[in-house]
């Protein structure tokens, strides 16, 4: 039982005293970067989907 208590004390100590938490502005900047990257990736995936759709329609129309 003592090992478990010591473990949680060490975890608490690590989180409170040794972990460096981002500031509010750093967190905001990181969130903006993630949102912009997500939109760009979504647009790329959409473009790939449209291109493959048109390519497959072209191939299928050529076969039938």
């Amino acid at each position: 039982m003592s090992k478990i208590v010591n473990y949680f004390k060490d975890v608490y100590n690590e989180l409170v005293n040794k972990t460096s938490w981002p500031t509010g502005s750093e967190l905001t900047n990181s969130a903006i970067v993630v949102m912009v990257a997500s939109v760009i990736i979504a647009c790329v995936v959409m473009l790939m989907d449209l291109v493959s759709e048109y390519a497959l329609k072209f191939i299928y129309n050529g076969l039938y």
Side-chain angles (χ1 to χ4, degrees), residues 20-40:
S20 63
W21 297 98
T23 63
S25 62
E26 290 173 338
L27 195 59
T28 301
N29 290 338
S30 296
I32 291 171
V33 168
V34 168
M35 286 189 286
V36 169
S38 297
V39 169
I40 291 171

Side-chain angles (χ1 to χ4, degrees), residues 48-61:
M48 290 172 17
D49 181 52
L50 289 173
V51 167
S52 64
E53 177 186 355
Y54 289 124
L56 288 173
K57 281 183 181 179
F58 178 76
I59 291 170
Y60 291 150
N61 288 335

Side-chain angles (χ1 to χ4, degrees), residues 37-49:
S38 297
V39 169
I40 291 171
I41 291 170
C43 290
V44 168
V45 169
M46 183 181 73
L47 181 64
M48 290 172 17
D49 181 52

Side-chain angles (χ1 to χ4, degrees), residues 1-9:
M1 187 70 169
S2 174
K3 288 183 179 183
I4 295 173
V5 172
N6 285 337
Y7 171 76
F8 282 110
K9 284 181 181 179

